[in-house]
């Protein structure tokens, strides 16, 4: 059976199920509208460590170990750990892999890394290379802020178009040949897009065109309609990117407004919390999916969603050199039936 459908979409033959998920969220996130869905929250940004970078590592590691413990699995029961983060050379995930002693693939596609990790694990599972994988992504406001923008000590005020990096981590166990879902059934691999946007304080505008391209390609490749999904969920476009995506797709004849959510807008109360236009970060889509959306799928409140994680592929160096921000969006179909 041909697995590739159309230009960028692939169908998985095996029953690749999400066995379980776990989320951990920081102080600001735990004050937002999803606080009752997170598996664990914490009030100390430093998590008892002497740096924010060490805190991010501990958050990621603790989340995975707790997920394994809940499912009565040892590290030797996992064939591969796949994950990534935003810090230089994905050091958070590298240190977590060092502690786990599980065979490891480190990925970087900025805030789209969570879905990229799902895709990589699903390909290995569908190809009978492995039986079980754990994936995770993480981010921390205080580490990302001083790497990509300004030292925290400056207290620099962000413009309204900016987004707050989510302090949180989401982890997931993927297996094959399960009887019970939700299942990962399709993936659409994104292309790098350039919307000629160079402002790191307006990443939603930069990423929106990549989200639109992947959504349109997915629907065209599979010859399906927006109405075939309960929801289309983007990773972290925030209010600005969310509205651009809606408007752009409407002009292309796709009205997704009644079936469209963005993780960056769900994780915070953007009216009452000082978060500009919403959340971003490698931990944004993973924290929201592994808590809120996984709960909705397991309880059959949702039965089929298209998860489209978006990523701004900039670096401090490229920003300093006034380079445009290249962006990408990867998508997976997650549904309760297979």
């Amino acid at each position: 059976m041909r697995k590739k459908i159309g230009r960028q979409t692939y169908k998985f033959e095996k029953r690749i199920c999400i066995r379980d998920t776990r989320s951990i969220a920081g102080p600001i996130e735990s004050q937002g509208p999803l606080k009752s869905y997170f598996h664990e929250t914490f009030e100390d940004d430093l998590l008892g460590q002497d740096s924010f970078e060490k805190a991010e590592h501990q958050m990621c590691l603790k989340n995975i170990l707790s997920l394994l413990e809940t499912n009565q699995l040892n590290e030797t029961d996992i064939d591969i750990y796949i994950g990534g983060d935003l810090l230089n050379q994905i050091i958070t995930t590298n240190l977590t892999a060092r502690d786990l002693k599980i065979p490891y693939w480190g990925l970087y596609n900025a805030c789209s890394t969570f879905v990229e990790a799902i895709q990589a694990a699903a390909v290995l599972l569908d190809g009978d290379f492995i039986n079980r994988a754990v994936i995770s992504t993480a981010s921390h406001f205080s580490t990302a802020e001083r790497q990509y923008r300004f030292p925290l000590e400056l207290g620099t005020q962000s413009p309204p178009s900016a987004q707050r990096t989510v302090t949180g981590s989401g982890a997931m166990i993927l297996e094959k040949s399960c009887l019970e879902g939700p299942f990962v059934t399709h993936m659409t691999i994104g292309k790098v897009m350039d919307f000629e946007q160079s402002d790191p304080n307006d990443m939603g505008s930069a990423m929106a065109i990549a989200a639109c391209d992947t959504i349109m390609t997915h629907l065209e490749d599979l010859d399906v309609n927006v109405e075939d999904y309960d929801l289309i969920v983007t990773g972290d476009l925030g209010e600005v990117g969310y509205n651009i995506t809606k408007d752009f797709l409407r002009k292309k004849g796709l009205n997704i407004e009644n079936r469209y959510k963005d993780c960056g807008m769900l994780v915070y109360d953007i009216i009452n919390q000082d978060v500009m236009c919403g959340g971003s970060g490698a931990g944004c889509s993973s924290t929201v999916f592994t808590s809120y959306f996984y709960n909705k799928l397991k309880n059959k409140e949702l039965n089929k969603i298209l998860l489209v994680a978006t990523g701004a592929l900039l670096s401090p160096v490229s920003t300093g050199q006034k380079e445009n921000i290249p962006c990408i969006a990867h998508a997976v179909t997650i549904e309760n039936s297979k």
Side-chain angles (χ1 to χ4, degrees), residues 212-241:
C212 292
D213 183 77
T214 297
I215 292 169
M216 290 189 298
T217 301
H218 178 88
L219 297 176
E220 290 169 5
D221 283 352
L222 294 179
D223 192 21
V224 295
N225 301 312
V226 173
E227 293 73 24
D228 292 313
Y229 295 86
D230 296 325
L231 280 180
I232 294 174
V233 181
T234 48
D236 64 336
L237 294 180
E239 188 174 24
V240 173

Side-chain angles (χ1 to χ4, degrees), residues 24 40 42 44-49 55-56 58-59 62 140:
I24 183 170
E40 183 179 353
F42 56 92
D44 175 17
D45 257 358
L46 282 166
L47 275 164
Q49 305 297 309
E56 184 174 331
Q58 287 302 311
M59 175 178 64
K62 181 180 182 182
H140 194 299

Side-chain angles (χ1 to χ4, degrees), residues 15 19 33 36 74 91 93 148 152 157 161 170 184 199 214 216 229 234 258 272 275 294 323:
R15 296 170 66 88
R19 171 167 169 168
S36 64
N74 297 316
I91 190 62
T93 316
Y148 286 98
L152 298 172
Q157 185 172 351
S161 61
V184 181
D199 183 359
T214 297
M216 290 189 298
Y229 295 86
T234 48
N258 294 328
N272 297 308
V275 294
Y294 185 71
E323 177 64 76

Side-chain angles (χ1 to χ4, degrees), residues 231-297:
L231 280 180
I232 294 174
V233 181
T234 48
D236 64 336
L237 294 180
E239 188 174 24
V240 173
Y242 174 85
N243 287 323
I244 291 173
T245 298
K246 280 195 308 179
D247 293 344
F248 184 89
L249 291 177
R250 186 185 299 112
K251 291 176 182 178
K252 293 293 183 179
L254 292 174
N255 187 352
I256 68 171
E257 186 164 359
N258 294 328
R259 296 173 185 267
Y260 178 33
K261 300 289 184 183
D262 179 70
C263 295
M265 292 180 66
L266 291 173
V267 69
Y268 298 123
D269 180 344
I270 61 174
I271 295 176
N272 297 308
Q273 289 183 288
D274 184 18
V275 294
M276 292 71 73
C277 69
S280 67
C284 183
S285 60
S286 68
T287 305
V288 174
F289 177 83
T290 56
S291 58
Y292 179 73
F293 285 113
Y294 185 71
N295 179 278
K296 297 294 184 185
L297 286 161

Side-chain angles (χ1 to χ4, degrees), residues 51-70:
S51 76
F52 293 118
E53 287 75 15
K54 291 180 180 179
E56 184 174 331
H57 164 220
Q58 287 302 311
M59 175 178 64
C60 185
L61 177 62
K62 181 180 182 182
N63 203 36
I64 294 173
L65 291 176
S66 296
L67 177 63
L68 296 180
E69 182 180 2
T70 300

